[in-house]
Amino acid sequence: PVLVREALVALDRHGRMVRHRDRIAIADFSVASAKPRFHILDVASGKMTSFLVAHGSGSDPGHTGYLHKFSNVPDSNASSQGAFVTADYYVGKHGRSQRLLGLDASNSNALERAIVVHGAWYANADMIPAHGKLGRSQGCFAVGERDLPKVFDHLGQGRMIFAARA
């Protein structure tokens, strides 16, 4: 509930930059990577759909499964906090991916750092029984390969992702 309130405040603050305000995503990085912590919220109904999401290796150097720090520094391989807006899709080294624009000072380098939403084998649910946690990204919002189409269907372009710790 705390992060939902913070995300809705961020949605209002960045309203002009966020074209579609019907759904937002909230990445609750206070939760372990073994738990669904990427929540897509239908703003009107309050209904949430949740997915697993990896955090950056620079945010968890000891690979504990918990995010310990955020960074906006290029080459840090860390996750960034704050509000992002979803931009265009492209096909890159992780297949279909979606660019993100950072809306806050804490994530203003997102485009330069190539912080995107993409699917990854190390974010698949079968990593949990095998390793007790997901693998780590280079700061991207990496979701399971089978979940990626659902995430893209829910988000689309011009919607906000809010990343923080409660």
Side-chain angles (χ1 to χ4, degrees), residues 8 21-24 41-47:
L8 292 173
R21 301 167 58 88
D22 56 338
R23 289 186 299 275
I24 60 173
L41 171 68
D42 181 302
V43 174
S45 72
K47 181 182 177 214

Side-chain angles (χ1 to χ4, degrees), residues 40-63:
I40 300 179
L41 171 68
D42 181 302
V43 174
S45 72
K47 181 182 177 214
M48 268 198 218
T49 306
S50 300
F51 302 93
L52 294 169
V53 67
H55 55 259
S57 61
S59 292
D60 179 13
H63 200 190

Side-chain angles (χ1 to χ4, degrees), residues 1-63:
V2 170
L3 284 187
V4 171
R5 283 193 299 276
E6 289 180 19
L8 292 173
V9 167
L11 183 62
D12 286 340
R13 184 172 60 247
H14 297 295
R16 291 189 319 262
M17 298 296 294
V18 182
R19 190 170 63 244
H20 302 292
R21 301 167 58 88
D22 56 338
R23 289 186 299 275
I24 60 173
I26 301 168
D28 182 356
F29 284 127
S30 60
V31 175
S33 68
K35 303 286 184 193
R37 59 183 182 170
F38 190 75
H39 312 289
I40 300 179
L41 171 68
D42 181 302
V43 174
S45 72
K47 181 182 177 214
M48 268 198 218
T49 306
S50 300
F51 302 93
L52 294 169
V53 67
H55 55 259
S57 61
S59 292
D60 179 13
H63 200 190

Side-chain angles (χ1 to χ4, degrees), residues 76-87:
S76 67
N77 290 338
S79 298
S80 295
Q81 66 183 340
F84 302 79
V85 66
T86 56

Side-chain angles (χ1 to χ4, degrees), residues 71-77 109 112-113:
S71 178
N72 191 33
V73 176
D75 299 319
S76 67
N77 290 338
N109 292 325
E112 173 192 344
R113 293 180 60 210

